[in-house]
């Protein structure tokens, strides 16, 4: 059985500053159509044809994704070929979407922040390769790597910080508040833990810091800089990084996955260089024209041709054949590019989504926004590429090489996603191939194309990447169901605890959780395996094991969820095994137990959780299934620290657990 993380949507993480509550099932990769004489077009140049195409696509996709309202813009050769609204900006009031409907564009804001930084580079006020500390007015970014952090690292999503989403802070209560970036960063500062430039991780903090650097260097609020130097010169009169009464009056309503109304959420800090912009189809068309005009708009140079070229050229690669980021843009879902040079930037906030796709060599670009936070944009983008720029020839079949057991030692091990700690991957070796196991898509066989590039059984590529010392330190797996737009880092697993015997049945669990920074010892060398845990101590370790603790908006909801159905919670009292099981199941969402017979004494409120965990094999080594298929979970006994390590490692590990019958 494949384990699926259901507390939050992995798919939306791909493009966004945030995630929403949902459960995303794994999916395969559909084949990309190859062009034929009948289907081949010279791009989207005929306005009527483009409109007919878009009408059909949006009718289909809006129904599929239960989308209430959308807009769509296509620009070619410096002209707007199509700008059209679909559906309603407000379903209840029957207000249609049009070119002036305001949407939150989420992380598309990042490309504008990159544009602002490049303007300062053009003016000689900033150097992409200088230490970012030069531009922060005394604010310090903790850095344990010995390598300077630069603006280039921030804008290419490679800052190396440990908490890239520590600043994803949204709430309805922030809509009318004014929180400064400086004030917010003082209490939300991560640490640079990987050498900057070494590993790709989708990075909201990096763009917030980049925006703050622009603000500090120019001596004016970020919003004022953007208005004066980008929005006004481009004629983007309905665009802002703040909510204004006039723009709120034209903003599309926000809807959830079932079409339910969602409230508007504001940001902390108020000006979010990583995602707070609002705009319209009419304004975004001007932004696209500027990009296709090599930095110029209406005869004015907004940014130099050199800088716009850097924004449109890939700077970071997982492999020479796999581009990842430009300055400000990305290259996710390479298989949808159809061998074209495409740069993308998507964005999601609760109830709104956006996508920009630019094909510089084809002088074509598109933009869309819509009123839910689904992945509809990628379906539309794929339809657009297959219709106007279909793949001309089938990709050649790669040749594979075997890998010896000795060679495999460099790759084998446990890897943890550098953005989302909940995503863990195990790599092992068997019969000339590497095996990969994840908790989201199960087991995969990897065939080697060359020593750093592999392919799974479905043709999905995986790269291994080296650190500065030349050792395999990361992997990047582009599976559509688990690509959290980040490298996964190899975890160094050691055995530091002298009180855990070498033959202990709990040793691997203890070492795994220690290496993942989930559960520490009582000291550097002592774990206290037979000791008990307080209810508060276990709850804190559980949240770290679950892996969503780095997402600020997820912490409080998960704390509440964790305590559902737990009676008489007393933080300083020892935790029982049955209470621990209920708390784990609240976050684990294991399938209901089948054919599990509990013996011994268990309170009624814990039976369902315990049977669910037991049915998936989430039990400690000292819990045995008897010959009559019954099991004594020892529910009312106090939980030992070594037992906690076993339960948590198995509940939130990397592999597909068996179903026991």
């Amino acid at each position: 059985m494949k384990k699926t993380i259901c507390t939050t949507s992995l798919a939306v993480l791909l493009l966004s500053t945030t995630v929403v509550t949902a459960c995303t099932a794994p999916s395969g990769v559909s084949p990309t159509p190859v062009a034929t004489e009948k289907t081949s077009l010279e791009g989207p140049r005929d306005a009527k044809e483009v409109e007919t195409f878009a009408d059909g696509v949006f009718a289909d996709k809006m129904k599929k994704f239960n989308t209430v309202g959308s807009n769509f813009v296509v620009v070619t050769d410096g002209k707007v070929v199509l700008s059209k609204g679909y559906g309603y900006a407000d379903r209840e009031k029957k207000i249609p979407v049009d070119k002036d409907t305001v949407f939150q564009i989420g992380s598309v804001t990042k490309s504008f922040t990159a544009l602002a930084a490049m303007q300062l580079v053009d003016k000689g006020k900033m150097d992409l390769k200088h230490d970012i500390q030069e531009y922060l007015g005394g604010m310090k970014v903790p850095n344990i790597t010995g390598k300077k952090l630069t603006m280039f690292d921030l804008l290419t999503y490679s800052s190396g910080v440990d908490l890239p989403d520590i600043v994803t802070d949204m709430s309805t209560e922030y809509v009318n508040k004014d929180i400064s970036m400086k004030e917010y960063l003082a209490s939300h500062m991560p640490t640079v833990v990987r050498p900057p430039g070494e590993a790709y991780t989708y990075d909201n903090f990096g763009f917030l810091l980049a925006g703050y650097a622009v603000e500090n260097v120019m001596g004016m609020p970020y919003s004022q800089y953007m208005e004066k130097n980008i929005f006004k010169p481009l004629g983007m009169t309905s665009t802002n990084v703040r909510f204004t009464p006039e723009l709120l009056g034209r903003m599309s309503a926000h809807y959830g996955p079932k079409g339910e109304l969602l409230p508007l959420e504001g940001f902390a800090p108020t000006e979010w260089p990583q995602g707070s912009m609002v705009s319209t189809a009419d304004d975004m068309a001007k932004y696209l024209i500027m990009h296709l005009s090599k930095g110029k708009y209406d005869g004015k140079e907004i940014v130099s041709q050199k800088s716009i070229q850097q924004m449109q050229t890939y700077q970071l690669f997982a492999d020479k054949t796999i581009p990842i980021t430009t300055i400000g843009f990305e290259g996710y879902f390479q298989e949808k590019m159809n061998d074209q040079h495409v740069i993308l930037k998507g964005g999601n906030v609760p109830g709104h989504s956006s996508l920009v796709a630019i094909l510089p060599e084809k002088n074509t670009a598109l933009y869309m926004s819509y009123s839910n936070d689904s992945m509809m944009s990628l379906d539309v983008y794929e339809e657009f590429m297959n219709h106007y720029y279909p793949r001309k020839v089938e990709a050649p079949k790669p040749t594979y090489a075997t890998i010896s057991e000795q060679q495999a030692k460099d790759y084998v091990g446990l890897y943890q996603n550098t953005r989302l700690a909940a995503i863990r991957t195990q790599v092992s070796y068997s019969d000339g191939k590497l095996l990969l196991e994840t908790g989201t898509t199960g087991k995969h066989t990897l065939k080697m194309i060359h020593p750093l590039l592999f392919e799974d059984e479905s043709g999905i590529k995986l790269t291994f990447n080296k650190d500065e010392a030349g050792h395999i330190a990361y992997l990047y797996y582009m599976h559509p169901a688990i690509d959290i737009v980040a490298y996964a880092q190899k975890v160094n697993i050691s055995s530091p605890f002298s009180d855990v015997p070498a033959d202990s049945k709990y040793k691997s669990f203890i070492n795994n959780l220690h290496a993942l920074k989930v559960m520490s010892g009582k000291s550097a060398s002592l774990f206290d395996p037979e000791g008990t845990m307080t209810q508060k101590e276990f709850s804190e370790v559980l949240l770290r094991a679950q892996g969503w603790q780095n997402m600020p908006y997820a912490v409080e909801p998960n704390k509440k969820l964790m305590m559902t159905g737990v009676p008489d919670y007393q933080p300083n009292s020892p935790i029982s095994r049955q209470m621990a099981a209920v708390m784990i199941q609240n976050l684990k969402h294991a399938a209901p137990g089948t054919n599990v017979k509990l013996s011994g004494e268990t309170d009624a409120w814990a039976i369902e959780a315990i049977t669910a965990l037991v049915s998936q094999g989430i039990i400690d080594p000292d819990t045995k299934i008897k010959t009559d298929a019954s099991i004594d979970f020892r529910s009312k006994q106090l939980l030992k620290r070594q037992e906690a390590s076993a339960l948590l490692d198995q509940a939130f590990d990397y592999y597909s657990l068996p179903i026991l019958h």
Side-chain angles (χ1 to χ4, degrees), residues 72-186:
F72 188 54
V73 173
V74 178
V75 173
T76 297
D77 297 330
K79 297 180 181 179
V80 178
V81 178
L82 178 70
S83 179
K84 188 170 183 178
Y86 296 94
Y88 293 107
D90 189 315
R91 179 185 55 206
E92 288 67 33
K93 296 180 181 178
K94 303 298 183 185
I95 299 173
V97 173
D98 61 25
K99 65 183 180 62
D100 296 316
T101 300
V102 172
F103 285 90
Q104 292 181 265
I105 66 172
S107 287
V108 176
T109 305
K110 290 179 172 67
S111 69
F112 285 84
T113 298
L115 178 63
M118 297 310 292
Q119 287 181 329
L120 299 194
V121 171
D122 288 342
K123 295 173 183 177
K125 296 181 179 292
M126 192 174 283
D127 190 305
L128 287 177
K129 295 303 180 74
H130 281 200
D131 194 323
I132 195 64
Q133 301 285 173
E134 296 177 22
Y135 310 119
L136 301 181
M139 181 181 291
K140 298 295 183 183
V141 181
N143 188 337
I144 65 172
T145 70
K147 184 179 180 183
K148 67 183 180 183
L149 175 65
T150 69
M151 179 63 82
F152 182 83
D153 301 321
L154 299 179
L155 299 181
T156 56
Y157 305 80
S158 58
S159 71
V161 298
D162 56 350
L163 302 172
D165 289 293
I166 193 174
V167 296
T168 51
D169 201 350
M170 293 172 293
S171 173
T172 54
E173 67 182 76
Y174 295 145
V175 172
N176 296 312
K177 287 189 176 181
D178 194 346
I179 304 169
S180 74
M181 279 192 255
K182 185 175 183 179
E183 171 190 346
Y184 189 83
L185 280 168

Side-chain angles (χ1 to χ4, degrees), residues 607-620:
I607 291 175
E608 183 178 346
I610 292 172
T611 55
L613 297 183
V614 168
S615 73
Q616 288 206 28
I618 303 174
I619 54 177
D620 58 278

Side-chain angles (χ1 to χ4, degrees), residues 161-462:
V161 298
D162 56 350
L163 302 172
D165 289 293
I166 193 174
V167 296
T168 51
D169 201 350
M170 293 172 293
S171 173
T172 54
E173 67 182 76
Y174 295 145
V175 172
N176 296 312
K177 287 189 176 181
D178 194 346
I179 304 169
S180 74
M181 279 192 255
K182 185 175 183 179
E183 171 190 346
Y184 189 83
L185 280 168
S187 58
H188 294 76
M189 184 65 71
T191 298
V192 181
V193 295
R194 291 177 296 277
E198 183 173 274
Y200 163 61
T201 305
Y202 192 89
D203 192 350
N204 282 298
F205 167 79
F207 280 83
L208 175 57
L209 192 65
Y212 177 73
V214 169
E215 177 175 286
N216 184 68
V217 167
M218 296 306 295
M220 67 174 70
Y222 169 79
S223 57
Q224 289 184 22
Y225 178 86
M226 300 298 283
E227 175 65 26
K228 179 180 178 181
N229 295 280
I230 295 179
F231 304 151
K232 189 172 182 180
L234 286 174
M236 297 177 72
T237 57
S238 295
T239 301
N240 209 310
V241 298
R242 284 175 167 261
F243 299 142
T244 67
E246 196 274 330
L247 294 178
L248 286 175
R250 289 192 275 133
M251 184 178 287
S252 168
H254 299 65
Y255 296 96
K258 297 180 181 179
E260 71 276 21
L261 272 171
L262 299 177
L264 172 68
E265 295 190 9
F267 310 99
T270 303
E271 297 177 7
W272 242 30
Q274 73 270 36
S276 67
M277 276 181 56
V278 298
S279 193
T280 64
D282 191 45
D283 276 8
M284 289 300 294
K286 298 169 184 176
Y287 179 62
L288 299 182
I289 289 170
M290 182 276 296
H291 263 281
L292 297 177
S293 301
K294 301 179 180 179
K296 292 184 178 181
Y297 182 79
D298 197 23
K300 303 184 292 287
E301 183 176 272
I302 306 301
V303 68
S304 71
Q305 183 173 336
K306 177 183 177 182
S307 288
I308 208 74
Q309 186 173 8
Q310 286 180 283
M311 294 183 70
Q312 296 177 359
T313 301
Y314 283 100
Q315 312 286 338
L316 197 68
F317 294 79
D319 175 82
K320 64 181 181 180
T321 61
I322 302 173
I324 301 183
T325 63
T326 75
I327 289 176
F329 288 88
E330 297 170 278
Y332 37 76
F333 290 124
Q334 187 188 13
E335 72 277 3
K336 300 183 190 299
M337 294 181 181
N338 293 355
D339 297 324
Q340 300 292 335
H341 176 66
V342 188
I343 61 171
L344 303 111
K345 192 71 210 81
N348 300 70
V349 296
H352 279 185
S353 299
S354 296
L355 178 68
V356 164
I358 301 173
L359 291 79
E361 295 170 3
K362 298 298 182 180
N363 208 10
T364 296
L366 67 84
Y367 159 78
M368 61 179 296
S369 286
Y370 51 97
S371 57
N372 62 25
D373 42 10
S374 70
M375 301 303 287
M376 184 180 85
S377 57
L378 288 182
D379 269 29
V380 174
Y381 163 61
E382 185 171 24
E383 294 279 358
F384 181 90
M385 293 300 297
N386 290 341
H387 185 68
Y388 292 109
Y389 303 103
R391 191 184 298 274
K392 293 182 179 179
V393 294
E394 289 280 8
K397 297 284 186 181
T399 56
Y400 306 110
T402 58
I403 180 170
S404 70
E405 188 170 3
Q406 181 62 34
Q407 290 173 311
K409 290 180 180 179
D410 292 338
Y411 306 86
V412 167
L414 178 63
Y415 295 76
Q416 184 174 39
N417 190 273
T418 56
R419 184 183 183 197
L420 184 60
I423 304 297
R424 297 155 193 162
T425 302
Q426 180 73 28
V427 175
S428 56
Y429 173 80
S430 177
D431 193 26
K433 300 181 180 66
L434 295 182
L435 302 179
L436 178 144
E437 297 181 78
T438 75
T440 48
T441 64
K443 299 179 181 181
H444 302 278
T445 300
L446 304 179
K447 294 175 287 187
M448 185 170 71
I449 299 173
H450 65 69
L452 295 177
L453 180 63
F454 290 72
E455 185 176 270
D456 74 7
E457 65 285 343
S458 299
I460 302 171
K461 299 293 193 298
L462 179 145

